Amino acid sequence: MGTLLEQALSAKNAPTHVIVNLPGGAASTVDPLAADLISPLAAALDLEIVTVFLIGPELESAQIAKQSLTEGVAGISNRKIAVANLKMGDPSRFAWTTSNERKIWLAAGGTENALPALTARVMDKVRDLPGSFSGFEVGQTGDLSIVERSVIHRWRVAADPLCRAACGGEKPKLVFVHGEKGALENRFVACC
């Protein structure tokens, strides 16, 4: 992890933030590294840690977010954002909305936001494409029609408040964070 961060920071146009992506089960892998690896590494590299935690409709999602807050990366983060994944439905129906975990998250300085849903047809098409959503939007890949690029543009506009919250109000460049296949709807886009 340290080598990857050092390479990213030495690259031209290096990022100013690290976004720690914790969708669902990833918390159990990343959270144990928080105190002993992530926090000192971020301090040594003078990085601000931002945790964007996607919340789904089930109570387990809220419980995992709270656990990360009390025992993991969310607890060491400079900014922590619980994000309702709108692909999963109406957030007012999520267990998070009325949970004690939400109250604890907010009391600890956490905030809330939403990740808009991208249409299934476009999501399936961009899942395996290399590049960023901003590149898809301006046609840097010949694999997307003008209608699909328009859908991506509208999605990016809808996602802008979340990106601004994660990146401290800087005008974001959205870069897709590639991860496991098939989980596009559960991943956040890096925007710093």
Side-chain angles (χ1 to χ4, degrees), residues 157-191:
V157 168
D160 190 62
L162 171 57
C163 293
R164 287 178 180 272
C167 297
E170 299 170 9
K171 180 63 181 169
K173 176 179 179 188
L174 297 174
V175 178
F176 185 72
V177 178
H178 291 274
E180 65 181 285
K181 284 187 170 230
L184 177 66
E185 65 277 5
N186 291 329
R187 292 190 308 243
F188 182 59
V189 289
C191 57

Side-chain angles (χ1 to χ4, degrees), residues 4-189:
L4 289 174
L5 285 174
E6 287 178 20
Q7 287 175 350
L9 291 172
S10 66
K12 188 176 182 180
N13 300 323
T16 57
H17 300 288
V18 173
I19 298 175
V20 180
N21 185 9
L22 296 174
S28 63
T29 302
V30 176
D31 279 344
L33 304 174
D36 295 334
L37 179 62
I38 297 171
S39 183
L41 183 59
L45 296 172
D46 197 28
L47 293 173
E48 178 180 5
I49 300 172
V50 178
T51 298
V52 176
F53 207 110
L54 284 129
I55 301 292
E58 64 287 334
L59 181 60
E60 180 184 25
S61 181
Q63 292 167 337
I64 293 169
K66 179 188 168 235
Q67 183 176 354
S68 181
L69 181 65
T70 58
E71 303 172 17
V73 174
I76 64 162
S77 294
N78 305 91
R79 275 185 271 168
K80 43 200 151 284
I81 307 165
V83 178
N85 187 351
L86 300 184
K87 176 141 179 75
M88 307 292 274
D90 178 358
S92 68
R93 297 178 182 222
F94 289 11
W96 171 262
T97 305
T98 58
S99 71
N100 191 47
E101 289 82 357
R102 177 179 181 256
K103 292 175 188 170
I104 293 168
W105 183 273
L106 295 173
T111 61
E112 297 173 303
N113 216 302
L115 177 64
L118 185 61
T119 65
R121 184 176 57 82
V122 173
M123 182 175 61
D124 288 343
K125 196 157 185 184
V126 301
R127 180 171 286 138
D128 295 322
L129 292 176
S132 67
F133 278 96
S134 59
F136 299 154
E137 182 181 352
V138 296
Q140 290 178 347
T141 176
D143 297 336
L144 298 173
S145 71
I146 187 75
V147 172
E148 292 161 336
R149 291 194 312 264
S150 176
V151 167
I152 290 170
H153 171 75
R154 289 190 307 274
W155 181 84
R156 285 191 57 212
V157 168
D160 190 62
L162 171 57
C163 293
R164 287 178 180 272
C167 297
E170 299 170 9
K171 180 63 181 169
K173 176 179 179 188
L174 297 174
V175 178
F176 185 72
V177 178
H178 291 274
E180 65 181 285
K181 284 187 170 230
L184 177 66
E185 65 277 5
N186 291 329
R187 292 190 308 243
F188 182 59
V189 289

